[in-house]
Amino acid sequence: WMVCGTPWNGKHRRGENKMVPLKGICLIKRSDTNFVREISSKEILQKLFNQIILPRNKDSLNKTLDLVSDLIGRNKLYEINCNISHEAAIKAYEVIK
């Protein structure tokens, strides 16, 4: 699995138009305390299904489910619970790195 940057990087010009291997998937939740935890594929599955379009065609649906299974099976999965502080970003980086 690879992730790609985009040539449109916003007003701060911090984006990079390059391709790198995906190493993990993070779900972000607002919280009063900053902590990161690894989660299971079962925990991420429902949230991922809310983000993808599931085809109606049975063959296409099976292929999509195979892709999702491969995606979560090959990557570390995290839930980042954080507030909007600078410390939240540092905590997430330290745990995931």
Side-chain angles (χ1 to χ4, degrees):
W1 290 91
M2 302 294 286
V3 293
C4 304
T6 175
W8 304 283
N9 54 15
K11 66 181 178 182
H12 297 291
R13 312 298 298 163
R14 293 193 178 172
E16 291 186 43
N17 188 12
K18 66 181 188 177
M19 185 183 302
V20 296
L22 178 65
K23 294 184 179 180
I25 300 171
C26 300
L27 300 177
I28 301 173
K29 292 175 77 173
R30 180 172 284 187
S31 176
D32 292 331
T33 54
N34 299 318
F35 66 96
V36 179
R37 68 182 186 95
E38 263 192 81
I39 58 175
S40 69
S41 56
K42 184 177 180 180
E43 289 180 88
I44 202 170
L45 204 52
Q46 181 179 3
K47 292 175 175 108
L48 277 180
F49 279 136
N50 290 333
Q51 302 298 317
I52 60 175
I53 297 171
L54 296 174
R56 294 182 186 198
N57 174 286
K58 185 178 178 180
D59 290 334
S60 297
L61 176 61
N62 286 333
K63 288 178 183 177
T64 301
L65 295 175
D66 288 344
L67 281 172
V68 170
S69 178
D70 187 65
L71 175 68
I72 63 177
R74 291 179 184 251
N75 291 286
K76 290 193 175 199
L77 310 171
Y78 299 96
E79 179 182 87
I80 300 173
N81 296 268
C82 58
N83 55 33
I84 59 170
S85 69
H86 182 71
E87 291 78 21
I90 293 169
K91 177 75 171 181
Y93 177 79
E94 288 173 349
V95 172
I96 294 170
K97 183 182 174 196

